[in-house]
């Protein structure tokens, strides 16, 4: 059985899906048959140098067929063995290799916030030059362990992605929010950067698989809140009115919880927005001037304390917070007629209001 194992040399089925397979025995029996599949190339290596190459097919390991093998004859075995390392290199790409991790802390040009980017995905790897791969990696990396080779390539790819994404975002080419819409351009830039590093090792990253670049959860929440605040401030006109609206909204929610008024009235009053979403001018009339009637004939409620005209439907004064309609109506001391809020003279008899 041992003789049969040595008679045929080939990559085992369990090792088909790896870039490099090293035949475990350094002593190769003369006249053995090497089976090289259509997507493989076999290399005889001695002292870090490639001595002979075998392409796809069945080869008899003999110096008569491969004259260069004469340099590999083991004289101690009486010429019955060749002493060399035999590598089988796959010429097809290996896909589904995982990569990922933290990219970088970067300042978002739009919000000027420092955020953390992360990436997770897959890539495919292939051998560009089998001879260069063996001569550059032998002695520096364990090519017999496919996991280590793939992990090393994944680290190079992650480094290239850090460089490409950081430069693209810093130059304003790619936004931090919405990077998924630029994955095609990111892939091209990352592969170009990665293959520059892999070139001298005879490898190349052929493509990226399903990958995505995301924000750290806390950074994503922060940017969403900031975007909401900026939108509301733009609608309100300035930050002061937006802050007042937020305060009124909080008060309205508290009153609603305890059976009080509606939060919509508070926010509308604070932002100067009526029930149909239109802006209502909010000018404080001079003392003694009755509030102007609206087109519908409904008067704006006037605060009895500070005499500020408020939007229709407001329940609290937007200036001092007094509940509207809570003040008792005043009457003229001369004729007893009811006085309009803020009036300095009676509209019926002209007497001065006290």
């Amino acid at each position: 059985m041992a003789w049969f194992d040595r008679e045929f040399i080939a990559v085992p089925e369990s090792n088909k899906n790896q870039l490099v397979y090293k035949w475990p025995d350094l002593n190769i029996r003369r006249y053995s048959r090497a089976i090289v599949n259509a997507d493989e190339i076999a290399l005889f290596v001695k002292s870090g140098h490639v001595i002979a190459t075998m392409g796809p097919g069945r080869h008899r390991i003999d110096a008569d067929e491969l004259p260069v093998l004469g340099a590999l004859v083991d004289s101690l075995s009486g010429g019955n063995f060749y002493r060399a390392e035999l590598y089988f290199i796959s010429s097809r790409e290996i896909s589904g290799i995982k990569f990922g991790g933290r990219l970088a802390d970067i300042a978002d040009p739009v919000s000027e916030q420092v955020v953390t980017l992360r990436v997770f995905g897959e890539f495919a790897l292939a051998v560009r030059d089998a001879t260069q791969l063996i001569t550059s990696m032998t002695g520096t990396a364990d090519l017999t362990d496919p996991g280590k080779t793939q992990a090393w390539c994944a680290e190079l790819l992650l480094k290239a992605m850090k460089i490409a994404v950081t430069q693209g975002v810093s130059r304003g080419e790619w936004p931090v929010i919405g990077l998924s819409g630029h994955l095609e351009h990111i892939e091209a830039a990352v592969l170009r950067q990665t293959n520059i590093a892999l070139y001298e090792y005879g490898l190349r990253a052929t493509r990226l698989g399903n990958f995505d670049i995301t924000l750290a959860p806390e950074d994503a929440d922060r940017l969403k809140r900031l975007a909401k605040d900026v939108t509301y401030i733009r609608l309100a006109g300035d930050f002061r009115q937006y802050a007042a609206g937020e305060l009124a909204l909080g008060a309205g929610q508290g009153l609603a919880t305890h059976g009080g008024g509606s939060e919509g009235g508070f926010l509308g009053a604070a932002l100067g927005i009526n029930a149909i979403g239109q802006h209502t001018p909010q000018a404080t009339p001079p003392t003694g001037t009755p509030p102007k009637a609206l087109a519908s004939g409904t008067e704006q409620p006037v605060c009895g304390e500070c005499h500020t005209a408020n939007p229709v439907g407001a329940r609290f004064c937007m200036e001092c917070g007094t509940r509207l309609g809570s003040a008792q109506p005043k009457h003229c001391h001369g004729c007893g007629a009811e006085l309009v809020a803020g009036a300095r003279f009676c509209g019926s008899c002209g007497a001065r209001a006290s």
Side-chain angles (χ1 to χ4, degrees):
M1 187 66 180
W3 178 87
F4 184 83
D5 290 340
R6 290 173 178 267
E7 179 69 18
F8 295 96
I9 299 175
V11 178
E13 288 296 327
S14 58
N15 299 92
K16 291 289 186 182
N17 192 33
Q18 63 185 65
L19 287 176
V20 180
Y21 173 75
K22 181 181 179 182
W23 184 252
D25 199 345
L26 295 180
N27 295 313
I28 302 173
R29 183 187 296 274
R30 190 179 181 185
Y31 303 126
S32 295
R33 299 283 181 175
I35 303 174
V36 184
N37 294 319
D39 57 354
E40 296 172 349
I41 184 173
L43 304 178
F44 287 95
V45 179
K46 183 176 183 180
S47 302
H49 298 283
V50 176
I51 302 300
T53 301
M54 294 185 296
R58 290 195 172 203
H59 304 270
R60 189 178 69 170
I61 300 178
D62 179 26
D64 293 336
E65 184 173 332
L66 297 172
V68 292
L69 293 182
L72 304 177
V73 173
D74 186 353
S75 58
L76 297 179
S77 65
N80 292 322
F81 290 89
Y82 297 100
R83 186 165 182 81
E85 296 175 322
L86 179 58
Y87 291 91
F88 291 85
I89 313 298
S90 176
S91 59
R92 59 187 175 86
E93 69 175 28
I94 305 299
S95 60
I97 304 173
K98 305 288 185 182
F99 79 99
R102 177 172 174 168
L103 280 181
D105 292 334
I106 189 168
D108 177 19
V110 177
S111 65
E112 298 182 353
Q113 299 291 305
V114 177
V115 296
T116 300
L117 295 176
R118 304 181 303 178
V119 62
F120 297 96
E122 301 175 348
F123 71 101
L125 190 66
V127 176
R128 181 187 59 82
D129 187 319
T131 300
Q132 191 172 15
L133 172 64
I134 294 300
T135 55
S136 61
M137 298 288 283
T138 301
T140 60
D142 186 5
L143 292 175
T144 62
D145 186 346
K148 290 184 178 180
T149 302
Q150 294 175 6
W152 176 75
C153 293
E155 290 179 1
L156 285 180
L157 189 143
L158 184 61
K159 179 181 178 181
M161 183 162 285
K162 287 180 180 180
I163 296 173
V165 172
T166 301
Q167 291 178 348
V169 172
S170 299
R171 290 195 296 259
E173 297 175 0
W174 304 326
V176 169
I177 297 181
L179 274 175
S180 297
H182 300 269
L183 292 184
E184 183 177 351
H185 302 290
I186 294 174
E187 178 179 0
V190 170
L191 288 178
R192 182 170 58 251
Q193 186 73 27
T194 302
N195 287 328
I196 290 175
L198 290 177
Y199 186 86
E200 60 181 300
Y201 298 101
L203 294 169
R204 65 186 180 95
T206 56
R207 56 190 172 87
L208 296 182
N210 184 24
F211 77 100
D212 195 15
I213 301 174
T214 61
L215 288 167
E218 60 275 12
D219 291 335
D221 292 340
R222 180 156 49 94
L223 289 186
K224 288 179 181 178
R225 290 197 304 269
L226 179 61
K228 183 202 73 170
D229 292 344
V230 170
T231 301
Y232 284 175
I233 290 173
R234 185 167 61 250
L235 291 174
D238 58 33
F239 179 77
R240 181 183 63 80
Q241 291 205 51
Y242 168 65
E246 285 288 291
L247 180 62
L249 181 59
Q253 290 173 341
L255 288 174
T257 303
H258 296 87
S262 166
E263 65 183 44
F266 265 100
L267 187 58
L271 297 182
I273 300 175
N274 61 18
I276 60 174
Q278 296 178 344
H279 187 73
T280 303
Q282 299 185 22
T284 302
T287 304
T289 303
K292 295 181 180 179
L294 299 181
S296 62
T298 304
E299 292 183 345
Q300 295 174 289
V302 178
C303 177
E305 295 294 328
C306 65
H307 311 300
T308 299
N310 290 270
V312 176
R315 299 185 180 184
F316 293 85
C317 178
M318 59 177 286
E319 184 67 25
C320 65
T322 302
R323 187 179 184 90
L324 299 176
S326 60
Q328 296 296 326
K330 296 182 180 181
H331 296 81
C332 175
H333 293 289
C335 65
E338 184 176 338
L339 298 176
V340 177
R344 301 176 63 186
F345 296 89
C346 176
S348 298
C349 66
R352 177 182 291 274
S354 58

